[in-house]
Amino acid sequence: MSTPFYVSPQQAMADRAEYARKGIARGRSVVVLQYADGILFVAENPSRALHKVSEIYDRIAFAAVGKYNEFENLRIGGVRYADLRGYTYDRDDVTARGLANVYAQTLGTIFSSAAEKPYEVELIVAEVGDAPADDQIYRLTHDGSIVDEHGSVAVGGNADQISSHLDQRHRDEMTLAEALKLAVEGLARDANGSDRTLTADQLEVAVLDRTRSQQRKFKRVLGRQLSRLLEGEQPAPEPTSDKSSGGAATAPEEEDLDLPDED
């Protein structure tokens, strides 16, 4: 009778962690920055159809790197969780902290299960508050660990090098144009230290803007508005009319910042 092949639990977990980290590192990075009026999301993503940054609920957004099908399943699950909780209780009961805990449980269970491979994903869940001190940013790793971040965070690709660049230059009172410029500078840095040039067509940009009169604070930055921000100009003020959304979770907004809202 042959002896079963044995691998220690420590070695098995180390191998699973290494597998997940290598898969995540192959993806392009995502940067999240706090600025004076909210939270900025910038991803190197030439695809116009496959989003790395999405809206989850009124004040909550989601960013991810890794395998698209895996983090898209997590995003959909997060929208359903937020929708059900907001409908059953109250919209204010849907928080980034609660959503991050749900994601942590899901990722931790998958990572520790020998029946399936670990997810090759790293997530950021952010919620914009009424003031900068109330903003919440959580980074979740492949094994379900949660890190409470402040100021700036980068995931995927050469995240360590980008994070170092951001930490040295980030300020909480930055304007949107300044924050976007800093994020693009970080994403343009190669692992070997050289700089690239990233154009608007290679970027996916969105904000959680606390100054919006609407209940939904998420907005994608597209087209002319993105080009102007990359040139250092500030966005035009939004209409002051209040168009609060209803009781259900809503799909991500796609329109340009300088166009009228179509909620």
Side-chain angles (χ1 to χ4, degrees):
M1 182 176 179
S2 61
T3 302
F5 182 73
Y6 174 77
V7 177
S8 68
Q10 295 87 344
Q11 184 61 49
M13 288 300 171
D15 291 343
R16 292 171 69 84
E18 183 65 17
Y19 172 85
R21 281 195 294 264
K22 286 182 177 179
I24 295 167
R26 285 193 292 267
R28 295 184 176 94
S29 300
V30 174
V31 168
V32 177
L33 290 172
Q34 289 180 273
Y35 69 103
D37 293 330
I39 301 174
L40 170 69
F41 301 78
V42 185
E44 185 180 354
N45 182 17
S47 173
R48 299 296 91 184
L50 308 180
H51 293 305
K52 291 185 174 183
V53 179
S54 299
E55 178 183 18
I56 295 292
Y57 212 62
D58 295 340
R59 292 173 168 265
I60 303 172
F62 167 100
V65 293
K67 295 197 69 172
Y68 175 79
N69 65 311
E70 293 178 348
F71 68 68
E72 179 66 6
N73 285 335
L74 292 170
R75 183 194 69 82
I76 293 172
V79 171
R80 289 172 177 167
Y81 160 83
D83 191 10
L84 180 60
R85 187 168 184 84
Y87 179 80
T88 305
Y89 300 102
D90 187 85
R91 299 185 76 91
D92 291 338
D93 290 327
V94 183
T95 64
R97 182 181 292 107
L99 182 61
N101 286 331
V102 171
Y103 281 145
Q105 293 174 26
T106 301
L107 289 171
T109 300
I110 293 171
F111 181 77
S112 60
S113 173
E116 55 184 323
K117 77 171 189 65
Y119 270 19
E120 300 168 60
V121 298
E122 196 163 359
L123 313 178
I124 297 176
V125 178
E127 178 179 359
V128 68
D130 294 330
D134 300 324
D135 292 345
Q136 300 177 39
I137 302 175
Y138 300 99
R139 176 169 60 88
L140 293 100
T141 60
H142 56 273
D143 60 356
S145 300
I146 303 179
V147 182
D148 188 359
E149 301 283 359
H150 176 78
S152 64
V153 58
V155 293
N158 56 327
D160 291 340
Q161 183 176 353
I162 295 174
S163 295
S164 177
H165 179 82
L166 298 178
D167 291 343
Q168 295 173 10
R169 296 165 176 80
H170 177 263
R171 308 186 321 275
D172 290 344
E173 68 275 10
M174 298 177 83
T175 65
L176 177 56
E178 291 172 340
L180 178 59
K181 179 180 178 182
L182 176 59
V184 173
E185 286 177 354
L187 289 172
R189 298 177 68 85
D190 283 332
N192 58 11
S194 61
D195 291 336
R196 299 172 294 144
T197 299
L198 295 177
T199 64
D201 293 337
Q202 298 172 283
L203 297 172
E204 179 183 357
V205 180
V207 294
L208 286 170
D209 185 356
R210 80 177 92 256
T211 66
R212 295 193 77 198
S213 58
Q214 292 87 345
Q215 195 168 22
R216 294 167 59 187
K217 305 302 182 183
F218 182 87
K219 195 81 171 182
R220 293 194 183 277
V221 185
L222 306 169
R224 300 185 306 274
Q225 186 65 31
L226 178 55
S227 298
R228 289 199 295 267
L229 282 171
L230 289 172
E231 294 170 0
E233 299 180 19
Q234 289 301 309
E238 293 206 9
T240 56
S241 61
D242 188 3
K243 301 179 184 178
S244 298
S245 57
T250 47
E253 297 186 21
E254 301 293 342
E255 67 269 21
D256 201 340
L257 265 175
D258 57 353
L259 298 179
D261 291 315
E262 301 176 356
D263 293 344

